[in-house]
Amino acid sequence: MTDELVHYSVRSGVATITLDSPHNRNALSAQLRRELSGALAQAKDDDAVRVIVLTHTGTVFCAGMDLKEARGAGAGDQGVNEFPRILEQIWTSPKPVVAKLSGVARAGGVGMIAAADIVVATTAVTFAFSEVRIGVVPAVISLTVLPRVHPRAAQELFLTGEVFDAERAAEIGLITKAVDADRLDAETERYVKSLALGGPAALAATKELLASPRPATPADGFPEMLELSARFFASEEGQEGIRAFAEKRKPNWVPQD
């Protein structure tokens, strides 16, 4: 039986998904894609899971598509055809996704971290949109990267394929924070605990809100936003949160350690 390339575990409401294919730099092989998609679906369907952490083993988070599998295949047989599903699973996950990086990200790997809600990387991590340097286009990942990254930076980095560091990645909006290696675990845990304090339905709705097109003016958006706000104030989750605040206790959705 083939060893698994993606590990999945749940503890205290946190599902940890770990890419473990260091022999090929955690490239997006057919097996890794299949297992990663399955793990993301499992986390989404598990009511006990409140937050998803996406991380890796080895010195590379993800090098992008598996070029060995891509070699000689026609357009209809390329593994990249399956990649949008994974990006969509991360982007639209009702549970917040935190990416934790202590290794390099390239091409499709950068697309995945762009799809995540929070990204913490060590200062030693580097990134690159390396597609143009092998004669391909960063087409699929552009759909998650371009909403995050400043336009001038995207123009420069997509066209040159140059390597850039974690501090630059934070400056241009690709990642949330660059930290020293000895702070990676603690900073990730801080974000995870903070996210777990939010109501599950409220977090899912807030993610949808953040991804929605902005109305032309505030006045255009007030009716829809008023309905959303009032509905959540009156909801079972909202009322539990209000009671918990008044009673100075944690709401019933906060995971118990």
Side-chain angles (χ1 to χ4, degrees), residues 17 21 37 60 68 71 75 87 91 111 121-123 129 132 140 146 148 150 158-159 212 217 219 246:
I17 299 173
S21 185
S37 182
V60 177
K68 289 184 179 179
R71 190 181 304 148
L87 295 181
W91 185 272
T122 66
T123 53
F129 302 103
V132 293
V140 173
L146 294 183
R148 307 288 197 206
H150 302 163
F158 269 39
L159 292 174
S212 299
T217 69

Side-chain angles (χ1 to χ4, degrees), residues 3-238:
D3 291 338
E4 66 180 14
L5 302 182
V6 176
H7 307 309
Y8 180 86
S9 63
V10 178
R11 180 181 179 185
S12 301
V14 181
T16 300
I17 299 173
T18 306
L19 308 184
D20 186 19
S21 185
H23 71 280
N24 69 346
R25 296 163 54 88
N26 284 326
L28 292 160
S29 64
Q31 182 185 344
L32 189 141
R33 293 193 306 272
R34 182 175 64 253
E35 293 180 10
L36 175 56
S37 182
L40 290 166
Q42 186 174 351
K44 177 184 177 182
D45 293 339
D46 187 346
D47 291 339
V49 171
R50 299 296 322 290
V51 181
I52 301 168
V53 174
L54 180 60
T55 189
H56 65 101
T57 64
T59 59
V60 177
F61 168 69
C62 177
M65 299 307 300
D66 189 324
L67 298 183
K68 289 184 179 179
E69 292 184 353
R71 190 181 304 148
D77 297 321
Q78 290 291 341
V80 72
N81 293 319
E82 300 173 0
F83 193 41
R85 171 176 168 77
I86 291 172
L87 295 181
E88 182 76 4
Q89 285 178 290
I90 299 171
W91 185 272
T92 64
S93 169
K95 290 102 184 270
V97 179
V98 179
K100 175 184 176 183
L101 279 73
S102 59
V104 169
R106 297 288 187 268
V110 187
M112 287 197 295
I113 65 168
D117 299 293
I118 303 286
V119 184
V120 184
T122 66
T123 53
V125 170
T126 63
F127 306 83
F129 302 103
S130 51
E131 286 88 345
V132 293
R133 295 199 175 188
I134 61 167
V136 298
V137 178
V140 173
I141 68 168
S142 72
L143 299 174
T144 58
V145 172
L146 294 183
R148 307 288 197 206
V149 172
H150 302 163
R152 274 295 178 191
Q155 194 85 9
E156 171 198 351
L157 298 169
F158 269 39
L159 292 174
T160 65
E162 288 183 345
V163 174
F164 55 102
D165 62 21
E167 291 184 354
R168 177 87 194 280
E171 288 173 4
I172 65 176
L174 179 62
I175 71 171
T176 310
K177 186 168 288 188
V179 298
D180 292 336
D182 60 358
R183 290 182 52 214
L184 180 63
D185 289 345
E187 194 66 10
T188 303
E189 182 66 14
R190 183 180 74 81
Y191 277 117
V192 167
K193 287 184 175 180
S194 184
L195 290 166
L197 295 176
L203 284 168
T206 301
K207 282 197 60 172
E208 288 185 14
L209 175 68
L210 289 166
S212 299
R214 301 281 77 79
T217 69
D220 291 337
F222 281 142
E224 181 181 358
M225 292 300 101
L226 176 59
E227 187 278 330
L228 177 65
S229 183
R231 176 158 46 89
F232 269 83
F233 267 104
S235 70
E236 180 178 344
E237 185 175 284

